[in-house]
Amino acid sequence: MAPPHKLNSPTGNSSVTSQAENGFISSYSPFSEKAVQELLQLPIQGSDDHLIEFSESLRTVAKTLRKVAEGKAAAQAEAAEWKRKYELERTRNLQIENKGKSCLEHRADLDDVKTNNSAKQTTLYKVEANGKSEECYSRNGICSHDVLRDGNPHSDSKMLRKASFKLQWCCKGEQSDQHKHDIVSFERGNITTAERSSKQISLKWESSPQTVLILTKPNSDSVKILCAEMIRWLRQHKKLQVYVEPRVKVDLLEESSYFNFVETWSDDKEILRLHTKVDLVITLGGDGTVLWTASMFKGPVPPIVPFSLGSLGFMTPFYSENYKECLESILKGPISITLRHRLICHVIRDAAKNEFETEEPILVLNEVTIDRGISSYLTNLECYCDNSFVTRVQGDGLILSTTSGSTAYSLAAGGSMVHPQVPGILFTPICPHSLSFRPLILPEHVTLRVQIPFNSRGSAWASFDGKDRKQLAPGDALVCSMAPWPVPTACHGDSTSDFLHSIHEGLHWNLRKTQSSDAPREA
């Protein structure tokens, strides 16, 4: 065996050798503190080269440690996502087991079928035998099953069967989606859908309205005067009961004791029952007043008549100067309305045990915004659509908007203007760190999940219609879907004409001078 290598220390001591467990000889040189001090005091030739090599080695080690840390964070995020999917799948399986069989088992049995064809017999939900037919209907789906015969039904020719199928809504549960069954129909296996987005919705009173709620823009003297005049007219000429906010009733009683008949509420519990008492809601203000009105109702919303008293309005088509004529027509009916869809948002914290352990849901009429707040780092958001990965957002933030909010923050961030009755969710990035990141429009039935990954540099902030700001830490998630309670707003003309009028007057959309016609004609 070769002799061990020796390394002489500055003090002249020989190195101590040791034999490793694998049979190789390794050496090390222990130094005392005195020897180290003497070594530092001696001039070393080529120290610059050694320092450069040492710094490069440290840089390499730092890069390796950074990659290890990033890999660990990515692994933790992936493990958390798999855990979330596992718990969600387990919960769904338990619900399916508790729910039992939702479709009735068909009761038709064929007695005159040959035994050699019985093994190849396809289960039929509609069988014609002896002049009688038995059908199978699904409680949660739509079935279409027919038997088509070639030629004479009494002949022995081969039967041509059209494949049977069933359509079933399965996105958010049977309770919230049962109302969709009226837009899909079938006949002999042909699927047709109703063009509901292109049809104007009309509201006709079956009985005359009895109670009206008036909500006003605060801190405006002109609005106070108009509110008092409108209440007098509704009481004297229409014999209606009027509800107002507590602060408005205080102002009315300070003006005159005549307004003692006006009613209000004292706590939040009465607000939750307000939709059971009020037939019609009148707003005096701008779009902000309409947003405030929508936020008051956590469930169903009565029809809203918005009067324009603000600086810019896309949801306020009525003018206050003609409020008597407008209210006469609306109270008489029928009236055209626009169903403005809302988003219901849930914040799920990292410490939550399952998907159902969420904070109180928040309803938004315009949009929910996730931004970086005061942080100087870009937002890092992982976005999923019905548990399918969409993209990772790196930029200033993300906007999830309704079609009613398409002319608000989403439009300023580069999103498209969408008709308010189009059922969809706008997916608009805010100043993304990628030129190819373009906005999306997703269907109404999807569920969007925006999660802050564990390796995010900072937290994010979520705001709902510009208020109720919440901090989202790494591991937290925001889940958004379409709410089952839209906001019905009355139209001055119809939904389309009001929308086009608002973008023409409010945004001056495509306003330019007409090209002159006296230019020389082309040969």
Side-chain angles (χ1 to χ4, degrees):
M1 181 179 293
H5 298 283
K6 295 182 179 181
L7 178 64
N8 295 329
S9 65
T11 59
N13 296 330
S14 60
S15 62
V16 181
T17 61
S18 64
Q19 186 172 0
E21 294 180 0
N22 58 2
F24 288 94
I25 303 300
S26 62
S27 63
Y28 63 94
S29 300
F31 296 95
S32 62
E33 296 182 359
K34 182 178 180 181
V36 173
Q37 294 178 359
E38 293 178 356
L39 178 63
L40 294 176
Q41 293 176 359
L42 291 176
I44 301 176
Q45 295 180 353
S47 60
D48 293 340
D49 297 336
H50 289 84
L51 290 176
I52 292 174
E53 293 179 0
F54 183 68
S55 63
E56 291 293 336
S57 301
L58 289 180
R59 189 176 293 108
T60 303
V61 172
K63 290 182 179 178
T64 305
L65 292 176
R66 188 181 301 111
K67 290 182 179 179
V68 171
E70 292 177 354
K72 181 179 179 181
Q76 291 177 350
E78 185 177 1
E81 180 61 23
W82 279 108
K83 179 181 178 182
R84 183 186 65 82
K85 291 182 179 179
Y86 168 75
E87 293 179 351
L88 182 61
E89 187 67 22
R90 185 178 65 177
T91 304
R92 289 177 178 175
N93 293 335
L94 292 176
Q95 290 178 351
I96 292 175
E97 292 178 0
N98 295 331
K99 182 180 178 181
K101 295 181 180 180
S102 61
C103 183
L104 299 176
E105 298 180 355
H106 74 278
R107 301 180 301 271
D109 295 324
L110 292 176
D111 298 333
D112 299 332
V113 179
K114 296 180 179 181
T115 58
N116 58 350
N117 292 331
S118 60
K120 301 180 180 179
Q121 177 70 31
T122 304
T123 302
L124 300 178
Y125 287 80
K126 179 178 180 181
V127 180
E128 296 183 1
N130 300 326
K132 298 181 180 181
S133 63
E134 296 185 3
E135 298 181 354
C136 168
Y137 296 98
S138 173
R139 182 178 56 189
N140 298 322
I142 303 173
C143 301
S144 175
H145 315 285
D146 283 316
V147 178
L148 305 180
R149 299 176 182 270
D150 185 12
N152 189 354
H154 299 286
S155 64
D156 294 334
S157 60
K158 184 179 180 181
M159 296 176 61
L160 297 180
R161 302 182 183 88
K162 188 167 183 177
S164 60
F165 61 84
K166 180 176 68 173
L167 301 181
Q168 186 174 14
W169 303 110
C170 57
C171 31
K172 289 183 291 185
E174 59 180 54
Q175 293 184 354
S176 61
D177 289 336
Q178 287 299 308
H179 66 282
K180 295 183 179 180
H181 286 200
D182 58 350
I183 67 167
V184 177
S185 60
F186 67 92
E187 182 178 359
R188 296 180 64 84
N190 300 321
I191 303 173
T192 59
T193 58
E195 299 178 358
R196 59 170 180 169
S197 60
S198 62
K199 292 183 178 180
Q200 176 59 50
I201 302 175
S202 179
L203 186 148
K204 184 178 180 180
W205 301 107
E206 295 183 355
S207 60
S208 300
Q210 302 295 326
T211 307
V212 175
L213 169 64
I214 299 179
L215 299 175
T216 64
K217 175 183 177 181
N219 303 323
S220 176
D221 295 335
S222 60
V223 171
K224 292 180 182 180
I225 296 173
L226 177 62
C227 179
E229 293 180 358
M230 186 176 293
I231 292 175
R232 288 178 182 271
W233 183 81
L234 290 173
R235 184 66 173 181
Q236 295 176 0
H237 294 82
K238 298 299 176 182
K239 310 299 181 183
L240 296 178
Q241 186 63 41
V242 180
Y243 274 82
V244 296
E245 297 175 87
R247 61 172 180 84
V248 176
K249 184 174 182 180
V250 173
D251 295 338
L252 292 173
L253 293 178
E254 290 179 355
E255 179 182 347
S256 174
S257 60
Y258 168 79
F259 297 102
N260 284 325
F261 66 89
V262 177
E263 297 188 20
T264 185
W265 55 87
S266 58
D267 53 20
D268 294 338
K269 293 183 179 180
E270 295 186 28
I271 297 179
L272 297 176
R273 298 190 299 267
L274 203 57
H275 68 278
T276 62
K277 304 177 182 179
V278 175
D279 300 318
L280 193 68
V281 180
I282 300 174
T283 64
L284 304 179
D287 286 352
T289 309
V290 178
L291 293 175
W292 167 251
T293 302
S295 66
M296 287 182 55
F297 295 92
K298 308 302 181 183
V301 185
I304 298 177
V305 184
F307 284 91
S308 177
L309 288 167
S311 57
L312 181 64
F314 295 92
M315 295 184 287
T316 54
F318 297 97
Y319 297 103
S320 59
E321 295 81 3
N322 305 321
Y323 76 89
K324 295 181 180 180
E325 293 79 2
C326 294
L327 292 179
E328 282 276 5
S329 176
I330 290 171
L331 294 174
K332 181 180 179 181
I335 58 176
S336 297
I337 63 173
T338 299
L339 292 181
R340 301 184 180 273
H341 302 276
R342 291 191 291 178
L343 291 177
I344 182 169
C345 307
H346 302 267
V347 176
I348 305 176
R349 299 298 179 183
D350 180 37
K353 298 179 180 179
N354 51 55
E355 293 289 324
F356 304 100
E357 187 177 340
T358 65
E359 297 183 1
E360 183 180 0
I362 301 176
L363 293 168
V364 296
L365 180 56
N366 266 359
E367 76 279 314
V368 52
T369 305
I370 305 100
D371 57 60
R372 60 182 182 176
I374 61 175
S375 175
S376 59
Y377 299 113
L378 297 178
T379 56
N380 189 3
L381 309 174
E382 292 180 350
C383 303
Y384 299 86
C385 179
D386 286 342
N387 296 326
S388 298
F389 179 73
V390 179
T391 188
R392 182 188 294 267
V393 178
Q394 292 183 348
D396 283 352
L398 177 68
I399 301 173
L400 302 178
S401 171
T402 64
T403 51
S404 295
S406 65
T407 52
Y409 195 2
S410 176
L411 181 63
S416 177
M417 291 186 294
V418 186
H419 194 288
Q421 284 193 188
V422 174
I425 303 175
L426 279 67
F427 186 92
T428 308
I430 306 174
C431 298
H433 201 256
S434 173
L435 295 178
S436 62
F437 196 170
R438 307 306 302 163
L440 297 176
I441 300 179
L442 301 171
E444 64 167 341
H445 59 78
V446 301
T447 299
L448 295 175
R449 179 187 180 95
V450 181
Q451 185 158 351
I452 314 300
F454 289 99
N455 60 349
S456 178
R457 291 186 173 183
S459 301
W461 292 83
S463 57
F464 308 87
D465 278 341
K467 57 182 184 297
D468 298 330
R469 200 161 172 83
K470 293 180 178 293
Q471 185 176 8
L472 302 178
D476 295 344
L478 177 68
V479 179
C480 299
S481 59
M482 195 68 72
W485 309 287
V487 178
T489 58
C491 301
H492 186 270
D494 57 59
S495 180
T496 301
S497 63
D498 285 3
F499 172 68
L500 295 176
H501 181 269
S502 66
I503 63 175
H504 286 152
E505 296 296 326
L507 297 177
H508 305 292
W509 179 61
N510 197 27
L511 181 62
R512 67 179 297 273
K513 291 184 178 180
T514 305
Q515 189 174 3
S516 177
S517 60
D518 57 356
R521 297 182 179 179
E522 296 181 359

